Amino acid sequence: MDANTQNISEVTIALIDSLKSTTSHYGLANSGSEYKIITEMFLYKYFNDKFGYEAKRDKIYGERLSKADKWDAEYDKFTEEEVEDLFSYLPASVPLLKPEHTLAHLYNTSGAGDFSTRLDATLIDIANLNADTFSVVTSGKSRVNIFSALTQFVTDPQKRDDFARSLMSSVASFNFESVFAEKYDFFSRIFEYLIKDYNNAGGGKYAEYYTPRAIAQVMARLLVGDNADLRGMTCYDPSAGTGTLLMALAHQIGEDRCTIFSQDISEKSSEMLRLNLILNNLSGSLPNVVQGNTLTEPYHKEENGALRKFDFVVSNPPFNLDFS
C-alpha cells in the first residue's frame, strides 16, 4: 500500500469511527438501526464523490466542472436540461445526483430548521432516482431501495436536527476520488472495517458468519487458477452473506469478465452485499442480488423452472441453522 492509499485509508476509517461515535452519542450503538445509518451515510458520501469524479471526466460538461473552484457549486448553476443531458452521457453504473442532492448543497443548508427532514428527503429522492440501477429484490420480487429515512431512528424529534448535522459533519471532511481507480484492493479493506461490528456470530438466528478475506482469496485462486482468458463467467453464492467469497472470486476472474448472482435470507446481509458490489465496481450485478430463503424459495431458475447452473459456485453455509 503506497503512502497516499495508506493516508486515505486512515482518513476513511476515521470517518467510519466518527459516524459510529455519533450513533453512540444518540443512544443507537448496537441497535438494529445502527448499521443502516452508518452504511447508508458512508454510501451517500461515496455516491457524491463518485458522481463528481465521473461528471468531471465527461466529454461535454467535464471541462466546465473540473475548471471550477468547486465542481458542486458550478453544478448548482446547471439548468434542468443540462442535468438531464449530463445524465445521458454518464456510464450506466454511475450514481445520479441532481444539484440539490450533492453533499455540499445539503451541508450548506444545515443551519436551517428541520434539517433532519431535508436529509431524509434527499436520501429517499436519490434512492428513487437511482432505483433501476441500485435496487435489489426479495424472493417475492419486492424492490428494496438503496436509501431510507435515517433520522427517524432517533426517538426524540427535538434531537433529530442535531443528529443529522453530526452525520453530515462526519462525511464532509474528505474526498474518495483519489482511490476510485483502485477498486478491490482499497475498498475491500474498508468494507471489512465498516461492517466488523455487525458481522459476527452474535447476531441472532441469521448471524453473519464472516469468511476472512485471506481465506476467500485462497479459495478463489484454487477455483480459478491463473487463467486470464475467462469471459462471461457466472458466479453464485446461495448463502452469500456480505459477499466476501464472491468478491474474491470476481477479483480473481476480473470484475469486467463475470456476473455475480446471490441469495441470502438476511436483510442486513443483502444490504451489505449491495454495498460491497457497489464499492467493487460490480453494480451491474445488483439485479441478481436476492433476499430470501434459498432452501425454500430458490430464486435463480431457468425459464423451464429448473434450478440455474453457474460456472462457479462458492458458499460458506449457515451451519448454525437447523436443516432438518
Side-chain angles (χ1 to χ4, degrees), residues 73-225:
E74 182 63 30
Y75 187 44
D76 266 340
K77 301 174 185 177
F78 274 40
T79 65
E80 289 185 15
E81 291 75 15
E82 288 174 328
V83 170
E84 291 298 325
D85 198 36
L86 171 61
F87 286 176
S88 70
Y89 293 120
L90 294 175
S93 61
V94 175
L96 303 178
L97 274 68
K98 295 180 180 179
E100 63 269 24
H101 294 153
T102 67
L103 196 150
H105 184 102
L106 188 59
Y107 188 77
N108 288 338
T109 69
S110 60
D114 212 17
F115 181 64
S116 57
T117 300
R118 192 174 296 107
L119 171 60
D120 287 341
T122 297
L123 292 175
I124 291 172
D125 203 25
I126 294 171
N128 290 332
L129 179 63
N130 291 275
D132 290 342
T133 305
F134 295 106
S135 292
V136 296
V137 298
T138 67
S139 55
K141 298 188 177 180
S142 296
R143 178 182 286 188
V144 182
N145 276 354
I146 189 115
F147 294 125
S148 55
L150 298 180
T151 65
Q152 63 177 325
F153 297 116
V154 175
T155 54
D156 185 349
Q158 300 300 317
K159 295 182 179 179
R160 288 175 182 169
D161 282 354
D162 286 340
F163 176 65
R165 292 186 187 102
S166 184
L167 292 175
M168 286 294 291
S169 179
S170 294
V171 298
S173 57
F174 81 107
N175 196 299
F176 278 131
E177 289 189 18
S178 63
V179 293
F180 281 139
E182 301 204 26
K183 296 188 299 182
Y184 183 91
D185 290 337
F186 174 77
F187 281 112
S188 60
R189 290 188 295 270
I190 295 303
F191 183 78
E192 283 185 347
Y193 189 82
L194 183 66
I195 68 169
K196 68 183 180 67
D197 293 332
Y198 318 115
N199 194 56
N200 53 61
K205 182 177 180 182
Y206 302 123
E208 289 75 26
Y209 287 83
Y210 182 66
T211 307
R213 186 163 63 101
I215 294 176
Q217 288 173 323
V218 170
M219 292 173 64
R221 286 198 295 270
L222 288 172
L223 281 170
V224 179

Side-chain angles (χ1 to χ4, degrees), residues 207-246:
E208 289 75 26
Y209 287 83
Y210 182 66
T211 307
R213 186 163 63 101
I215 294 176
Q217 288 173 323
V218 170
M219 292 173 64
R221 286 198 295 270
L222 288 172
L223 281 170
V224 179
D226 296 320
N227 188 345
D229 297 325
L230 296 176
R231 292 286 189 280
M233 295 292 101
T234 56
C235 307
Y236 176 58
D237 189 336
S239 54
T242 58
T244 305
L245 290 174
L246 287 170

Side-chain angles (χ1 to χ4, degrees), residues 43-62:
L43 191 56
Y44 172 46
K45 172 62 175 174
Y46 176 91
F47 269 27
N48 180 87
D49 293 355
K50 182 68 171 178
F51 174 79
Y53 173 77
E54 295 290 352
K56 285 187 288 185
R57 299 172 67 197
D58 177 66
K59 293 181 179 179
I60 306 300
Y61 294 100

